[in-house]
Amino acid sequence: MRINKNVSLKPYNTFGISAKAKFFCEINSTEDLKQALRLEEYPEKFVLSGGSNMLITKDIEALVLHINLKGIEIVSEDQDHVVIKVMAGENWHQMVLWALARDYGGLENMSLIPGNTGTAPIQNIGAYGVELKDTFVSCEAMGISDQNIKKFSKEACHFGYRDSFFKNEGKGKYIITSVNLRLTKRNHKKSTSYGAIETELQSRGISEPTIQDIASAVIAIRQQKLPDPNEIGNSGSFFKNPMVSRSAFDTFIADHPNAPFYKVSDDAYKIPAGWLIEQCGYKGKRFGDAGVHKNQALVLVNYGNASGQEILALAYKIINTVSDKFGILITPEVNIIS
């Protein structure tokens, strides 16, 4: 395991932010991780995975541990289900394609989500009506303080909307090393009612879609709406869709009867943040090299040389405008490194 100095992090974050790591090392095994965490000469450690859900706003003075653990294996299976173990450094979308190639169902709606599998439980990632928790069995994580591997059940992860134990009580205490997922082998439970999936399938003349058809539709929709990080720096959806109470929703919908919404429960409604931002006139707007994507107002972009601070300033400007116009607080989904 080699420690490098003053390493550019631009290739390691999908926003393409130019920042440096004072110290940097690749973690290719759990033994590497254990050794790195025990390096007393580097008291500050910073964990970096796929770099897809973060906005770096300054150079990182700590030892950056780039998690590159690889491997997918079948843990158990029966006629109906298979449990797979995915190492933290595996690219999420490539893992979804691996499952689809074997006709394993449950992940198709989450095709093309950027990032690595190890960070998926932190956010409880989700798309088009499906979340990680729907297939999640457990994960293993190394304690930063004691380097012991601990297994976390679904219940122990305290999953919420883009939320988990690892973003709250467990923040900064564990590094996820692997994730176990339970997928279907037959009688797949298909979810096509959310967003534009049904419309996309209908346009293709598909009335009885396979899980591969659903994945293909999701990929097409995402490619139409979301920019490729390899072409323009971004971190996907920058903001969470805000949840409001029934009373707040009643007031909101009375003032904006044509607004889209999703009923979560009798006392909780989700308002699309992208719609709120678009109504404030930000869609497609550019402020220097920081901007809002022309096809999806949820996505903030780096047109080339925007700093993390410039992207963050734009985010706060949007948050304040939405709050002033609608009385609704939207919050970042990405992790702000400041």
Side-chain angles (χ1 to χ4, degrees), residues 196-224:
I197 296 178
E198 285 185 343
T199 302
E200 180 68 24
L201 291 170
Q202 288 169 6
S203 73
R204 300 179 179 204
I206 299 171
S207 57
E208 295 293 332
T210 64
I211 56 174
Q212 290 79 9
D213 290 331
I214 294 170
S216 180
V218 167
I219 290 169
I221 295 165
R222 291 185 71 95
Q223 287 177 333
Q224 290 164 15

Side-chain angles (χ1 to χ4, degrees), residues 313-325:
L314 174 56
Y316 281 126
K317 187 173 183 178
I318 291 169
I319 289 169
N320 291 334
T321 306
V322 169
S323 178
D324 290 343
K325 184 176 178 66

Side-chain angles (χ1 to χ4, degrees), residues 184-203:
T184 53
K185 293 173 65 177
R186 60 181 184 177
N187 301 321
H188 303 304
K189 182 182 177 182
K190 300 167 190 173
S191 179
T192 60
S193 61
Y194 198 100
I197 296 178
E198 285 185 343
T199 302
E200 180 68 24
L201 291 170
Q202 288 169 6
S203 73

Side-chain angles (χ1 to χ4, degrees), residues 81-99:
H81 296 92
V82 59
V83 175
I84 62 172
K85 179 178 181 178
V86 188
M87 298 305 291
E90 287 288 342
N91 176 270
W92 174 266
H93 179 59
Q94 293 303 316
M95 183 273 296
V96 172
L97 295 179
W98 180 94

Side-chain angles (χ1 to χ4, degrees), residues 25-37:
C25 69
E26 290 277 357
I27 302 298
N28 297 310
S29 67
T30 53
E31 187 57 36
D32 281 352
L33 182 57
K34 188 179 293 185
Q35 289 181 21
L37 290 173

